[in-house]
Amino acid sequence: MTAFDLLVVGDANPDVVLSGVPREIAFGEREQLVAAGSITLGGSGAITACGAARLGLRTAFVGRVGDDASGRFVLDALTERGVDVAGCVRDREVATAVTVILADGEDRAVLTAPGCLPLLDIMDVDPELERAARHVHVSSYFLQPRLAAGLPTWFAGLRSRGASTSLDTNDDPSGRWDDGVAAAIAQTDVLLPNEAEALALAGRTDGDIIAAGRHLAMASGLPVVKCGARGALAWWDGEPVTVPGLAVEPVDTVGAGDSFNAGFLAGWLGGWLGGRGIVASLRLGAACGSLSTRAVGGTAAQPTLAEALAAIEGSGPRSGAGLTRAGLR
């Protein structure tokens, strides 16, 4: 029996979230007031790990943080949420990454000082820890070039030993979406982009998410595309499968896609695939993503499994308008 259901390898940092930010930022040392501000745990990998642990998965996280106050904040926050961080690396020379999120309603700008994030390497992952995990998830491919360079070979080795893999590339700050990511996707069991990322990875400029999903299905094992409040799309058994999101009044959408990752992987690892199981896994992901928007930051409102299932069954917020094949075009 493996010690962990899920090993997440990726990014972790403090998020400084400012809400109600004006569209035009005044320089010249002018002070501008905003509606609210908070410091929360951030990083796609860290938020996914916390969401998975909240759902009851035995979860470990490996990332690189600085030997500084921000690094201690990150590790303490992960530990408090039930995530094993024994495999994390503390960099004594380079600072922890920091992200500032400027939110205006459901839209936001994201500014990241990468710090030691680009230095994370597959060699940082203890082989005993990777052997102890049923599934390995990697986040933020484009922020971690050393990790990205070795990912295809590493994923292939994990799969040969019976572990499954997933990847959330997140955005490419350079806008290049380089060809190297295709080799990693080819060794990925579950690919978890959002709608814009799926279009970019598929090289589609026409906005046709169905065509993008079809392309990614030929390149990876199972593409699962997050479509925000509209729900999610997966390409299963040669056909698109869609589910709606939940109708909630969002307070903050930061990290909703990462909470979706946690929910979908919980269903997938729980054996909910096959037949209608893909729908159940998608619904759990969509519920977790939607419910996470009830509070500021990516982890404060992540649901338990019981809360997510109650919401799906109608005891909580009711489902919004369903996604359709035509509606996704």
Side-chain angles (χ1 to χ4, degrees):
M1 180 177 177
T2 54
F4 296 104
D5 299 304
L6 176 65
L7 168 61
V8 179
V9 179
D11 51 333
N13 54 264
D15 273 353
V16 181
V17 183
L18 301 179
S19 303
V21 175
R23 284 289 170 146
E24 300 221 357
I25 305 296
F27 285 82
E29 299 188 32
R30 284 194 57 202
E31 184 164 1
Q32 294 177 277
L33 301 182
V34 299
S38 62
I39 300 176
T40 66
L41 178 64
S44 176
I47 295 171
T48 297
C50 288
R54 180 78 169 152
L55 291 167
L57 295 185
R58 300 165 299 162
T59 305
F61 175 81
V62 172
R64 184 176 281 262
V65 299
D67 189 17
D68 50 27
S70 292
R72 290 188 288 276
F73 168 82
V74 164
L75 296 180
D76 287 347
L78 283 160
T79 301
E80 287 169 5
R81 288 163 175 79
V83 178
D84 187 297
V85 297
C88 286
V89 177
R90 297 188 189 215
D91 194 310
R92 296 183 178 276
E93 298 181 358
V94 184
T96 304
V98 177
T99 292
V100 177
I101 298 169
L102 308 179
D104 178 20
E106 293 188 26
D107 196 9
R108 59 189 186 268
V110 182
L111 308 173
T112 296
C116 59
L117 280 185
L119 303 179
L120 183 65
D121 192 290
I122 287 165
M123 299 300 293
D124 290 330
V125 183
D126 187 331
E128 289 189 13
L129 180 57
E130 68 179 61
R131 284 193 292 269
R134 291 174 55 202
H135 181 89
V136 177
H137 175 77
V138 169
S139 63
S140 296
Y141 174 95
F142 296 103
L143 295 182
Q144 300 164 120
R146 291 188 182 180
L147 181 67
L151 200 57
T153 300
W154 188 47
F155 266 14
L158 289 169
R159 297 171 86 193
S160 71
R161 293 195 293 274
S164 52
T165 62
S166 58
L167 173 64
D168 186 346
T169 66
N170 301 99
D171 190 31
D172 180 1
S174 75
R176 292 192 296 267
W177 300 90
D178 66 87
D179 293 339
V181 71
I185 290 173
Q187 297 297 333
T188 297
D189 291 304
V190 183
L191 181 65
L192 290 156
N194 66 24
E195 199 166 358
E197 292 156 2
L199 291 167
L201 289 168
R204 307 286 310 193
T205 58
D206 57 4
D208 189 339
I209 193 62
I210 292 289
R214 183 185 300 112
H215 174 91
L216 294 174
M218 293 186 290
S220 67
L222 172 62
V224 177
V225 182
K226 297 166 282 190
C227 301
R230 292 162 50 233
L233 158 75
W235 202 272
W236 179 257
D237 200 20
E239 292 291 334
V241 178
T242 63
V243 300
L246 297 181
V248 299
E249 290 295 329
V251 173
D252 180 12
T253 59
V254 169
D258 308 314
S259 292
F260 177 101
N261 294 347
F264 181 85
L265 290 174
W268 195 74
L269 293 171
W272 292 6
L273 290 186
R276 295 180 59 82
I278 180 64
V279 175
S281 296
L282 286 170
R283 282 180 174 161
L284 182 57
C288 290
S290 295
L291 294 173
S292 76
T293 68
R294 298 171 295 173
V296 173
T299 62
Q302 288 178 317
T304 64
L305 182 59
E307 289 169 338
L309 293 177
I312 293 168
E313 292 164 3
S315 299
R318 295 203 176 268
S319 296
L323 293 173
T324 66
R325 185 182 176 90
L328 281 169
R329 284 202 174 104

Tab-separated table of all heavy atoms in Angstrom, residues 251-300:
chain	number	residue	atom	x	y	z
A	251	VAL	N	-16.725	35.500	-4.120
A	251	VAL	CA	-16.032	36.558	-3.387
A	251	VAL	C	-14.660	36.786	-4.005
A	251	VAL	O	-14.212	37.914	-4.169
A	251	VAL	CB	-15.904	36.176	-1.894
A	251	VAL	CG1	-15.042	37.185	-1.139
A	251	VAL	CG2	-17.282	36.058	-1.262
A	252	ASP	N	-14.001	35.684	-4.382
A	252	ASP	CA	-12.650	35.750	-4.947
A	252	ASP	C	-12.411	34.468	-5.732
A	252	ASP	O	-12.565	33.371	-5.194
A	252	ASP	CB	-11.622	35.886	-3.810
A	252	ASP	CG	-10.182	35.972	-4.308
A	252	ASP	OD1	-9.979	36.161	-5.521
A	252	ASP	OD2	-9.267	35.843	-3.475
A	253	THR	N	-12.057	34.600	-7.004
A	253	THR	CA	-11.862	33.418	-7.846
A	253	THR	C	-10.414	32.925	-7.866
A	253	THR	O	-10.108	31.966	-8.587
A	253	THR	CB	-12.302	33.708	-9.293
A	253	THR	OG1	-11.533	34.798	-9.816
A	253	THR	CG2	-13.788	34.057	-9.347
A	254	VAL	N	-9.532	33.544	-7.098
A	254	VAL	CA	-8.130	33.100	-7.059
A	254	VAL	C	-8.059	31.635	-6.631
A	254	VAL	O	-8.637	31.242	-5.614
A	254	VAL	CB	-7.305	33.981	-6.092
A	254	VAL	CG1	-5.929	33.367	-5.856
A	254	VAL	CG2	-7.170	35.389	-6.646
A	255	GLY	N	-7.363	30.825	-7.402
A	255	GLY	CA	-7.149	29.426	-7.041
A	255	GLY	C	-8.302	28.495	-7.327
A	255	GLY	O	-8.221	27.297	-7.009
A	256	ALA	N	-9.381	28.991	-7.958
A	256	ALA	CA	-10.537	28.122	-8.206
A	256	ALA	C	-10.162	26.959	-9.114
A	256	ALA	O	-10.626	25.825	-8.914
A	256	ALA	CB	-11.681	28.926	-8.816
A	257	GLY	N	-9.333	27.219	-10.114
A	257	GLY	CA	-8.906	26.143	-11.005
A	257	GLY	C	-8.075	25.099	-10.298
A	257	GLY	O	-8.146	23.900	-10.622
A	258	ASP	N	-7.300	25.513	-9.311
A	258	ASP	CA	-6.483	24.567	-8.542
A	258	ASP	C	-7.360	23.714	-7.629
A	258	ASP	O	-7.102	22.522	-7.433
A	258	ASP	CB	-5.437	25.327	-7.729
A	258	ASP	CG	-4.631	26.275	-8.599
A	258	ASP	OD1	-4.194	25.855	-9.683
A	258	ASP	OD2	-4.451	27.442	-8.204
A	259	SER	N	-8.405	24.324	-7.072
A	259	SER	CA	-9.362	23.545	-6.274
A	259	SER	C	-10.133	22.573	-7.158
A	259	SER	O	-10.455	21.458	-6.728
A	259	SER	CB	-10.326	24.487	-5.545
A	259	SER	OG	-9.637	25.227	-4.548
A	260	PHE	N	-10.423	22.982	-8.401
A	260	PHE	CA	-11.010	22.040	-9.361
A	260	PHE	C	-10.079	20.850	-9.550
A	260	PHE	O	-10.522	19.690	-9.549
A	260	PHE	CB	-11.254	22.730	-10.709
A	260	PHE	CG	-11.787	21.799	-11.766
A	260	PHE	CD1	-13.136	21.796	-12.085
A	260	PHE	CD2	-10.951	20.908	-12.439
A	260	PHE	CE1	-13.635	20.918	-13.050
A	260	PHE	CE2	-11.437	20.030	-13.398
A	260	PHE	CZ	-12.795	20.034	-13.700
A	261	ASN	N	-8.776	21.128	-9.742
A	261	ASN	CA	-7.813	20.032	-9.905
A	261	ASN	C	-7.935	19.021	-8.772
A	261	ASN	O	-7.961	17.803	-8.994
A	261	ASN	CB	-6.381	20.575	-9.913
A	261	ASN	CG	-6.066	21.443	-11.110
A	261	ASN	OD1	-6.815	21.486	-12.082
A	261	ASN	ND2	-4.956	22.151	-11.039
A	262	ALA	N	-7.981	19.550	-7.542
A	262	ALA	CA	-8.051	18.668	-6.370
A	262	ALA	C	-9.306	17.820	-6.403
A	262	ALA	O	-9.271	16.603	-6.140
A	262	ALA	CB	-7.999	19.502	-5.092
A	263	GLY	N	-10.439	18.443	-6.733
A	263	GLY	CA	-11.691	17.708	-6.763
A	263	GLY	C	-11.720	16.652	-7.848
A	263	GLY	O	-12.136	15.509	-7.611
A	264	PHE	N	-11.275	17.010	-9.044
A	264	PHE	CA	-11.285	16.028	-10.119
A	264	PHE	C	-10.364	14.862	-9.790
A	264	PHE	O	-10.730	13.696	-9.992
A	264	PHE	CB	-10.875	16.649	-11.455
A	264	PHE	CG	-10.915	15.643	-12.571
A	264	PHE	CD1	-12.098	15.382	-13.238
A	264	PHE	CD2	-9.784	14.907	-12.909
A	264	PHE	CE1	-12.161	14.408	-14.225
A	264	PHE	CE2	-9.837	13.924	-13.893
A	264	PHE	CZ	-11.028	13.686	-14.559
A	265	LEU	N	-9.165	15.148	-9.293
A	265	LEU	CA	-8.220	14.073	-8.979
A	265	LEU	C	-8.755	13.191	-7.848
A	265	LEU	O	-8.525	11.975	-7.845
A	265	LEU	CB	-6.859	14.649	-8.614
A	265	LEU	CG	-6.093	15.287	-9.776
A	265	LEU	CD1	-4.816	15.953	-9.277
A	265	LEU	CD2	-5.774	14.270	-10.867
A	266	ALA	N	-9.480	13.784	-6.903
A	266	ALA	CA	-10.075	12.969	-5.840
A	266	ALA	C	-11.068	11.973	-6.428
A	266	ALA	O	-11.108	10.803	-6.027
A	266	ALA	CB	-10.756	13.861	-4.807
A	267	GLY	N	-11.876	12.424	-7.389
A	267	GLY	CA	-12.801	11.509	-8.038
A	267	GLY	C	-12.090	10.474	-8.891
A	267	GLY	O	-12.411	9.285	-8.851
A	268	TRP	N	-11.096	10.920	-9.626
A	268	TRP	CA	-10.345	10.042	-10.528
A	268	TRP	C	-9.607	8.968	-9.740
A	268	TRP	O	-9.655	7.789	-10.084
A	268	TRP	CB	-9.386	10.901	-11.338
A	268	TRP	CG	-8.789	10.242	-12.531
A	268	TRP	CD1	-9.405	9.969	-13.717
A	268	TRP	CD2	-7.434	9.801	-12.671
A	268	TRP	NE1	-8.515	9.391	-14.589
A	268	TRP	CE2	-7.307	9.268	-13.967
A	268	TRP	CE3	-6.326	9.812	-11.825
A	268	TRP	CZ2	-6.110	8.751	-14.447
A	268	TRP	CZ3	-5.132	9.296	-12.299
A	268	TRP	CH2	-5.028	8.768	-13.591
A	269	LEU	N	-8.952	9.374	-8.670
A	269	LEU	CA	-8.224	8.404	-7.848
A	269	LEU	C	-9.167	7.541	-7.026
A	269	LEU	O	-8.793	6.448	-6.589
A	269	LEU	CB	-7.241	9.146	-6.922
A	269	LEU	CG	-6.080	9.840	-7.638
A	269	LEU	CD1	-5.297	10.718	-6.670
A	269	LEU	CD2	-5.155	8.827	-8.292
A	270	GLY	N	-10.395	8.019	-6.833
A	270	GLY	CA	-11.383	7.240	-6.097
A	270	GLY	C	-12.092	6.208	-6.953
A	270	GLY	O	-13.007	5.542	-6.480
A	271	GLY	N	-11.681	6.109	-8.231
A	271	GLY	CA	-12.264	5.097	-9.099
A	271	GLY	C	-13.603	5.492	-9.677
A	271	GLY	O	-14.418	4.638	-10.008
A	272	TRP	N	-13.841	6.802	-9.842
A	272	TRP	CA	-15.134	7.242	-10.335
A	272	TRP	C	-15.188	7.311	-11.859
A	272	TRP	O	-16.177	7.754	-12.415
A	272	TRP	CB	-15.465	8.628	-9.769
A	272	TRP	CG	-15.701	8.626	-8.300
A	272	TRP	CD1	-15.545	7.573	-7.432
A	272	TRP	CD2	-16.124	9.718	-7.500
A	272	TRP	NE1	-15.849	7.948	-6.163
A	272	TRP	CE2	-16.206	9.266	-6.165
A	272	TRP	CE3	-16.456	11.042	-7.771
A	272	TRP	CZ2	-16.597	10.083	-5.119
A	272	TRP	CZ3	-16.841	11.857	-6.734
A	272	TRP	CH2	-16.910	11.393	-5.418
A	273	LEU	N	-14.130	6.912	-12.542
A	273	LEU	CA	-14.137	6.957	-13.995
A	273	LEU	C	-14.763	5.698	-14.572
A	273	LEU	O	-14.932	4.691	-13.898
A	273	LEU	CB	-12.715	7.123	-14.534
A	273	LEU	CG	-12.081	8.485	-14.268
A	273	LEU	CD1	-10.740	8.569	-14.965
A	273	LEU	CD2	-12.966	9.622	-14.745
A	274	GLY	N	-15.063	5.772	-15.880
A	274	GLY	CA	-15.703	4.645	-16.552
A	274	GLY	C	-17.201	4.846	-16.563
A	274	GLY	O	-17.819	5.104	-15.530
A	275	GLY	N	-17.825	4.809	-17.734
A	275	GLY	CA	-19.259	5.041	-17.820
A	275	GLY	C	-19.593	6.427	-17.330
A	275	GLY	O	-19.020	7.411	-17.766
A	276	ARG	N	-20.519	6.532	-16.391
A	276	ARG	CA	-20.910	7.837	-15.850
A	276	ARG	C	-19.914	8.354	-14.834
A	276	ARG	O	-20.051	9.455	-14.322
A	276	ARG	CB	-22.306	7.743	-15.214
A	276	ARG	CG	-23.413	7.444	-16.214
A	276	ARG	CD	-24.765	7.362	-15.540
A	276	ARG	NE	-25.113	8.599	-14.851
A	276	ARG	CZ	-25.632	9.660	-15.452
A	276	ARG	NH1	-25.845	9.633	-16.763
A	276	ARG	NH2	-25.951	10.741	-14.766
A	277	GLY	N	-18.867	7.570	-14.530
A	277	GLY	CA	-17.891	8.005	-13.546
A	277	GLY	C	-17.143	9.250	-13.945
A	277	GLY	O	-16.776	10.058	-13.087
A	278	ILE	N	-16.898	9.432	-15.243
A	278	ILE	CA	-16.203	10.641	-15.690
A	278	ILE	C	-17.038	11.868	-15.344
A	278	ILE	O	-16.515	12.902	-14.940
A	278	ILE	CB	-15.892	10.581	-17.204
A	278	ILE	CG1	-15.152	11.851	-17.666
A	278	ILE	CG2	-17.151	10.392	-18.038
A	278	ILE	CD1	-13.795	12.025	-17.053
A	279	VAL	N	-18.351	11.744	-15.471
A	279	VAL	CA	-19.239	12.851	-15.128
A	279	VAL	C	-19.156	13.152	-13.637
A	279	VAL	O	-19.097	14.317	-13.216
A	279	VAL	CB	-20.690	12.541	-15.553
A	279	VAL	CG1	-21.642	13.641	-15.092
A	279	VAL	CG2	-20.773	12.363	-17.058
A	280	ALA	N	-19.131	12.106	-12.802
A	280	ALA	CA	-19.041	12.303	-11.353
A	280	ALA	C	-17.741	13.004	-10.982
A	280	ALA	O	-17.725	13.906	-10.133
A	280	ALA	CB	-19.151	10.965	-10.636
A	281	SER	N	-16.635	12.619	-11.604
A	281	SER	CA	-15.346	13.257	-11.311
A	281	SER	C	-15.339	14.709	-11.747
A	281	SER	O	-14.827	15.587	-11.045
A	281	SER	CB	-14.215	12.483	-11.993
A	281	SER	OG	-14.107	11.175	-11.477
A	282	LEU	N	-15.910	14.981	-12.927
A	282	LEU	CA	-15.998	16.364	-13.403
A	282	LEU	C	-16.878	17.203	-12.480
A	282	LEU	O	-16.551	18.352	-12.168
A	282	LEU	CB	-16.561	16.394	-14.818
A	282	LEU	CG	-15.632	15.946	-15.943
A	282	LEU	CD1	-16.409	15.789	-17.247
A	282	LEU	CD2	-14.485	16.942	-16.130
A	283	ARG	N	-17.988	16.628	-12.037
A	283	ARG	CA	-18.878	17.384	-11.154
A	283	ARG	C	-18.207	17.684	-9.818
A	283	ARG	O	-18.397	18.768	-9.257
A	283	ARG	CB	-20.173	16.611	-10.941
A	283	ARG	CG	-21.133	16.701	-12.110
A	283	ARG	CD	-22.402	15.929	-11.870
A	283	ARG	NE	-23.358	16.144	-12.958
A	283	ARG	CZ	-24.381	15.349	-13.225
A	283	ARG	NH1	-24.582	14.275	-12.472
A	283	ARG	NH2	-25.192	15.607	-14.225
A	284	LEU	N	-17.453	16.728	-9.311
A	284	LEU	CA	-16.750	16.984	-8.062
A	284	LEU	C	-15.720	18.088	-8.253
A	284	LEU	O	-15.587	18.987	-7.410
A	284	LEU	CB	-16.081	15.706	-7.556
A	284	LEU	CG	-15.340	15.821	-6.226
A	284	LEU	CD1	-16.263	16.319	-5.117
A	284	LEU	CD2	-14.716	14.486	-5.837
A	285	GLY	N	-14.992	18.057	-9.370
A	285	GLY	CA	-14.041	19.128	-9.651
A	285	GLY	C	-14.724	20.472	-9.762
A	285	GLY	O	-14.285	21.466	-9.165
A	286	ALA	N	-15.825	20.523	-10.520
A	286	ALA	CA	-16.534	21.786	-10.705
A	286	ALA	C	-17.095	22.315	-9.385
A	286	ALA	O	-17.066	23.520	-9.113
A	286	ALA	CB	-17.654	21.599	-11.724
A	287	ALA	N	-17.603	21.405	-8.552
A	287	ALA	CA	-18.126	21.821	-7.248
A	287	ALA	C	-17.011	22.401	-6.381
A	287	ALA	O	-17.182	23.450	-5.749
A	287	ALA	CB	-18.789	20.646	-6.548
A	288	CYS	N	-15.867	21.728	-6.340
A	288	CYS	CA	-14.756	22.209	-5.512
A	288	CYS	C	-14.241	23.560	-6.009
A	288	CYS	O	-13.918	24.445	-5.210
A	288	CYS	CB	-13.630	21.185	-5.496
A	288	CYS	SG	-14.037	19.679	-4.582
A	289	GLY	N	-14.169	23.721	-7.333
A	289	GLY	CA	-13.736	25.005	-7.869
A	289	GLY	C	-14.713	26.116	-7.533
A	289	GLY	O	-14.318	27.205	-7.106
A	290	SER	N	-16.001	25.853	-7.709
A	290	SER	CA	-17.018	26.873	-7.430
A	290	SER	C	-17.061	27.243	-5.949
A	290	SER	O	-17.086	28.420	-5.583
A	290	SER	CB	-18.392	26.372	-7.881
A	290	SER	OG	-18.451	26.190	-9.272
A	291	LEU	N	-17.078	26.227	-5.087
A	291	LEU	CA	-17.198	26.491	-3.653
A	291	LEU	C	-15.985	27.213	-3.092
A	291	LEU	O	-16.082	27.954	-2.105
A	291	LEU	CB	-17.425	25.183	-2.900
A	291	LEU	CG	-18.759	24.478	-3.188
A	291	LEU	CD1	-18.799	23.103	-2.526
A	291	LEU	CD2	-19.942	25.326	-2.728
A	292	SER	N	-14.822	27.038	-3.737
A	292	SER	CA	-13.607	27.700	-3.235
A	292	SER	C	-13.655	29.212	-3.399
A	292	SER	O	-12.857	29.924	-2.789
A	292	SER	CB	-12.373	27.149	-3.956
A	292	SER	OG	-12.268	27.677	-5.276
A	293	THR	N	-14.590	29.717	-4.211
A	293	THR	CA	-14.653	31.165	-4.461
A	293	THR	C	-15.435	31.908	-3.386
A	293	THR	O	-15.613	33.115	-3.472
A	293	THR	CB	-15.298	31.454	-5.831
A	293	THR	OG1	-16.697	31.095	-5.809
A	293	THR	CG2	-14.597	30.686	-6.945
A	294	ARG	N	-15.879	31.213	-2.340
A	294	ARG	CA	-16.718	31.838	-1.310
A	294	ARG	C	-15.946	32.724	-0.356
A	294	ARG	O	-16.544	33.438	0.458
A	294	ARG	CB	-17.451	30.760	-0.516
A	294	ARG	CG	-18.415	29.901	-1.331
A	294	ARG	CD	-18.937	28.728	-0.518
A	294	ARG	NE	-17.855	27.799	-0.165
A	294	ARG	CZ	-17.989	26.756	0.640
A	294	ARG	NH1	-19.175	26.513	1.196
A	294	ARG	NH2	-16.972	25.965	0.908
A	295	ALA	N	-14.612	32.706	-0.410
A	295	ALA	CA	-13.797	33.520	0.499
A	295	ALA	C	-12.552	33.981	-0.242
A	295	ALA	O	-12.209	33.468	-1.315
A	295	ALA	CB	-13.414	32.721	1.750
A	296	VAL	N	-11.872	34.947	0.338
A	296	VAL	CA	-10.666	35.495	-0.278
A	296	VAL	C	-9.528	34.480	-0.185
A	296	VAL	O	-9.336	33.820	0.835
A	296	VAL	CB	-10.257	36.811	0.410
A	296	VAL	CG1	-8.902	37.295	-0.105
A	296	VAL	CG2	-11.319	37.876	0.168
A	297	GLY	N	-8.766	34.343	-1.272
A	297	GLY	CA	-7.629	33.432	-1.295
A	297	GLY	C	-8.028	32.067	-1.820
A	297	GLY	O	-9.217	31.728	-1.937
A	298	GLY	N	-7.022	31.260	-2.137
A	298	GLY	CA	-7.281	29.986	-2.788
A	298	GLY	C	-7.687	28.853	-1.873
A	298	GLY	O	-8.238	27.853	-2.337
A	299	THR	N	-7.421	28.950	-0.551
A	299	THR	CA	-7.631	27.798	0.327
A	299	THR	C	-8.682	27.994	1.411
A	299	THR	O	-9.164	27.007	1.975
A	299	THR	CB	-6.306	27.408	1.017
A	299	THR	OG1	-5.856	28.506	1.829
A	299	THR	CG2	-5.229	27.062	-0.010
A	300	ALA	N	-9.076	29.224	1.701
A	300	ALA	CA	-9.929	29.480	2.863
A	300	ALA	C	-11.291	28.801	2.772
A	300	ALA	O	-11.862	28.400	3.789
A	300	ALA	CB	-10.112	30.982	3.058
